[in-house]
Amino acid sequence: KKPNDPPLYGQFVPFDVEPPVLHSRGENDKNMNNLVKRIPTSFPGCDSIIILQHDPVYTLGTASDPTFIHGYNTDGINGDKSDVPIVRIERGGEVTYHGPGQLVVYPILDLRGYKQDVHWYMRALEEVILIALEKAGIEGASREKNLTGVWVSNKKIAALGIKTRRWVTMHGLAINIDARSLQNFKGIVPCGLEGREVTCLRDEVSVIEETSFSMKDVTIYVKEALEQVFGVTLLSAL
């Protein structure tokens, strides 16, 4: 699993601080520019892992059916008394929600240094989630046949949606950490799966009274899982 020629390295944004929250378009550009400026110039062209929290947003994949957003109209406005913006992006999959309380992970990897197989990559991301959830105290997390993502108690706790271009990966995964992450799922049919519920780590952890964790803790669990699954060492870009 270790990268081949040319040498590939890992970057982790951030490592020793809470994941940043991206805001509206103008502020997003400013925040991302600041992050880019903080990436050492000694790391050009390296594999990267960006970990963050979004402000509330519904995202549609390239072929997503917008009718899975309740009250959606042809102007791209959510008419279901919600001010959550709707954005169509390049990933695969149906509609999903991102927001505070949810950890979003964007691996930018050159799969030529790992395995040139998109299905393998998807299963590898699911394995990262499973390992991280186990570290956080979740029991019984699993995959479901013919579906992407990770499930606990028959509810979806993490979603995937990716794109590759010339074997370089884009987009990634999202793990619901606390109740804030669930607030706006009621406005959609998550991933286009009728009748299926979503859940979060905080609601599913086995011994909540004995388990205390922050978003930073889960970020570190994900970092460790990425290192284990992809056979790399992630370096802080800060």
Side-chain angles (χ1 to χ4, degrees), residues 147-223:
L147 296 175
T148 61
V150 172
W151 305 76
V152 179
S153 304
N154 204 35
K155 301 175 183 177
K156 196 165 193 176
I157 195 169
L160 307 179
I162 70 159
K163 178 181 175 65
T164 62
R165 182 176 295 162
R166 298 180 180 177
W167 294 110
V168 176
T169 66
M170 292 172 274
H171 304 289
L173 63 91
I175 307 172
N176 302 326
I177 307 301
D178 62 47
R180 294 174 298 160
S181 66
L182 306 181
Q183 291 174 358
N184 288 299
F185 274 107
K186 63 182 180 295
I188 62 173
V189 178
C191 303
L193 299 174
E194 297 277 3
R196 301 301 300 268
E197 297 181 51
V198 293
T199 188
C200 66
L201 193 157
R202 181 64 70 182
D203 286 349
E204 299 295 335
V205 72
S206 299
V207 191
I208 191 66
E209 63 273 13
E210 297 179 9
T211 305
S212 177
F213 56 83
S214 65
M215 186 69 72
K216 179 180 176 181
D217 294 328
V218 183
T219 301
I220 293 172
Y221 300 152
V222 170
K223 172 190 179 290

Side-chain angles (χ1 to χ4, degrees), residues 98-154:
H98 297 308
Q102 182 190 74
L103 198 66
V104 180
V105 183
Y106 294 132
I108 307 170
L109 308 179
D110 187 337
L111 292 183
R112 292 172 294 180
Y114 303 89
K115 188 172 183 177
Q116 291 174 249
D117 185 328
V118 172
H119 295 289
W120 170 85
Y121 177 63
M122 294 286 283
R123 303 294 80 77
L125 292 182
E126 289 171 346
E127 189 66 20
V128 167
I129 297 166
L130 290 168
I131 292 170
L133 292 180
E134 184 177 9
K135 289 175 178 287
I138 293 291
E139 297 180 356
S142 64
R143 300 176 175 90
E144 284 204 6
K145 187 176 181 180
N146 300 323
L147 296 175
T148 61
V150 172
W151 305 76
V152 179
S153 304
N154 204 35

Side-chain angles (χ1 to χ4, degrees), residues 59-76:
T59 66
L60 294 160
T62 51
S64 295
D65 184 349
T67 63
F68 287 129
I69 302 175
H70 301 316
Y72 181 89
N73 62 43
T74 55
D75 294 324

Side-chain angles (χ1 to χ4, degrees), residues 47-64:
D47 285 0
S48 299
I49 307 289
I50 300 173
I51 300 185
L52 52 86
Q53 296 177 78
H54 280 287
D55 261 2
V57 62
Y58 293 132
T59 66
L60 294 160
T62 51
S64 295

